[in-house]
Amino acid sequence: MAFTELVFSGVQPTGNLHLGNYLGAIVNFVKMQETHNCIYCVVDMHAITQGVDVWGGPTELARNTREVTAAFIAAGIDPKKHIVFNQSQVAGHAELAWIFNCVARVGWLNRMTQFKEKAGKDRENASIGLYDYPVLMAADILLYRATHVPVGEDQKQHLELSRDIAQKFNNDFADSIRRSGFDDGLFFPLPEPLIMGPATRVMSLRDGTKKMSKSDASDYSRINLTDDADAIAQKIRKAKTDPEPLPSEEKGLEARPEADNLVGIFAALSARSKQDVLREFGGGQFSSFKNALVELCVSKLSPIAGEMKRLVADPAYIDRVLIDGADRARALADQTMTKTKDIVGFIRGQTGPW
Ligand code: AQP
């Protein structure tokens, strides 16, 4: 790997990869390849934290894992220069998560808003995995001692928890860490969230106050990366708006969440500022803006959808990418786990890392 800083990020294979995942995460994954060593993970162990009705069962999980991998490659991630793999192939994720379970505090997890949202009213019936999701996420990142994590706005709180876990581990084991040769006592780095670009939080097309999400019951709430031109056109034309024309100034988008969202999507897809977009469309009706947005979305997303379709038709190729990526990820993970086990005081054999 060519650079000094390491990026790690993941996407869950829970189906319906959408424009929010693309603009909030994948576009930035592609950019980071130019400046960092990157590890991009299809986090299949996270996917099973919700009910089987959400992740769809074994056949769907495998299908969605290949689809997310195809999306990564179709969007421009190079699995030869960087690492692309699925989480469950590297045992270190689960093993480090266990150690972190013994570092993280229940009070910290109780504050996680995503658990509250996803568990809903039936908290007692949520899986322990869903509650523990942020600890596994900390393990994902710190297993590679990654320093930077490109994510959407919704993951900021989890990233803060990863930093707290890294810090507490470094404090709890400070003497042991020093004895292991880390004179500054810092074994795990404190990972930085990279929340970049104009679309860090893409909202639902049906309700501008809710984030666009894979698990929204309405397919009209999101643009899927696999949607064809007709589906994109229908969804954008039906997207909720308000009766006012578009404002000419960005501050005119305040308290107009749906208009703000559509202008934000246009800006992100065309690499322009919202103000610049409003200079062109401000004062006009939504219908002509929506037509331009349909055209833009189709021109940006259709090539990706086409390439995804081609890649998914060759599962053997995708599996080779994931197996090769996992082998390279495991080699890095084993180094961290060997040191971590020594630091914690676990006895291990000398012949292998375990
Ligand atoms: N609406 C969004 N806007 C911007 N970024 C988003 N991300 C997700 N939704 C938006 C970012 O996409 C990356 C992958 O997310 P994930 O699949 O691991 O899980 P998630 O955040 O829980 O995504 P979803 O789509 O909302 O799934 P469900 O419905 O299952 O909860 C992350 O970097 C995330 O920030």
Side-chain angles (χ1 to χ4, degrees):
M1 292 215 227
F3 307 102
T4 50
E5 288 182 326
L6 183 68
V7 154
F8 178 97
S9 200
V11 173
Q12 294 188 75
T14 36
N16 300 326
L17 212 54
H18 54 74
L19 191 62
N21 300 132
Y22 178 66
L23 292 174
I26 298 173
V27 164
N28 297 325
F29 294 1
V30 174
K31 277 198 199 122
M32 301 301 297
Q33 296 183 107
E34 305 305 320
T35 49
H36 290 69
N37 297 321
C38 300
I39 303 180
Y40 295 128
C41 188
V42 187
V43 287
D44 47 6
M45 289 159 64
H46 284 278
I48 63 168
T49 55
Q50 287 183 271
V52 71
D53 51 321
V54 176
W55 57 274
T59 309
E60 274 295 282
L61 182 64
R63 198 187 72 76
N64 288 332
T65 299
R66 293 192 183 105
E67 188 174 284
V68 173
T69 311
F72 282 174
I73 299 169
I77 290 169
D78 182 341
K80 288 208 171 78
K81 287 198 186 129
H82 300 273
I83 294 179
V84 172
F85 76 108
N86 58 311
Q87 185 185 25
S88 60
Q89 289 203 74
V90 178
H93 291 260
E95 299 195 62
L96 188 58
W98 181 257
I99 294 172
F100 286 170
N101 276 334
C102 303
V103 173
R105 306 288 93 181
V106 169
W108 299 358
L109 287 183
N110 283 344
R111 287 195 285 275
M112 295 296 113
T113 53
Q114 185 170 291
F115 174 74
K116 289 178 197 158
E117 281 161 23
K118 289 198 171 171
K121 291 199 180 77
D122 200 6
R123 236 180 111 116
E124 292 293 306
N125 203 28
S127 78
I128 293 167
L130 185 65
Y131 183 70
D132 202 33
Y133 181 113
V135 176
L136 179 58
M137 181 165 157
D140 298 338
I141 298 161
L142 295 168
L143 187 58
Y144 304 97
R145 301 172 73 221
T147 50
H148 293 85
V149 187
V151 281
E153 183 79 40
D154 59 320
Q155 292 296 331
K156 195 166 168 232
Q157 193 185 35
H158 288 166
L159 248 298
E160 279 157 11
L161 188 97
S162 298
R163 291 168 64 87
D164 291 343
I165 291 174
Q167 179 118 51
K168 187 165 188 301
F169 182 97
N170 289 343
N171 289 344
D172 289 356
F173 295 99
D175 292 342
S176 185
I177 289 171
R178 284 201 181 83
R179 279 198 301 278
S180 294
F182 294 84
D183 294 339
D184 55 5
L186 296 176
F187 178 60
F188 287 117
L190 306 192
E192 293 278 346
L194 296 172
I195 299 170
M196 307 186 299
T200 56
R201 193 170 169 82
V202 178
M203 309 309 275
S204 158
L205 299 181
R206 309 300 296 162
D207 176 352
T209 63
K210 263 173 61 186
K211 81 162 189 158
M212 187 177 283
S213 165
K214 298 188 195 99
S215 50
D216 195 310
S218 167
D219 199 49
Y220 277 90
S221 68
R222 63 182 161 260
I223 294 174
N224 302 308
L225 289 191
T226 48
D227 282 345
D228 61 20
D230 285 347
I232 293 174
Q234 260 198 26
K235 287 176 179 182
I236 292 178
R237 294 207 174 104
K238 280 187 188 251
K240 188 177 167 198
T241 47
D242 56 47
E244 301 299 317
L246 278 168
S248 303
E249 296 289 329
E250 197 177 334
K251 63 177 183 321
L253 292 171
E254 279 166 24
R256 296 180 65 187
E258 284 82 17
D260 189 23
N261 189 38
L262 294 181
V263 171
I265 292 172
F266 196 107
L269 283 173
S270 58
R272 289 161 66 182
S273 67
K274 286 188 198 174
Q275 185 56 61
D276 195 34
V277 173
L278 290 176
R279 217 169 281 133
E280 184 178 344
F281 295 99
Q285 293 304 318
F286 271 105
S287 51
S288 52
F289 172 69
K290 280 183 170 180
N291 287 340
L293 184 57
V294 168
E295 212 175 290
L296 177 64
C297 265
V298 170
S299 75
K300 294 288 174 186
L301 298 186
S302 290
I304 297 174
E307 184 61 2
M308 279 174 72
K309 212 168 166 186
R310 193 187 68 77
L311 289 164
V312 162
D314 187 359
Y317 166 73
I318 304 252
D319 293 1
R320 277 199 304 280
V321 166
L322 293 173
I323 291 165
D324 170 64
D327 288 344
R328 287 149 60 212
R330 200 177 299 110
L332 299 171
D334 282 354
Q335 291 175 25
T336 306
M337 285 314 298
T338 300
K339 280 276 178 218
T340 305
K341 284 196 152 192
D342 289 347
I343 289 166
V344 172
F346 290 157
I347 292 171
R348 60 180 176 84
Q350 295 304 312
T351 48
W354 306 106

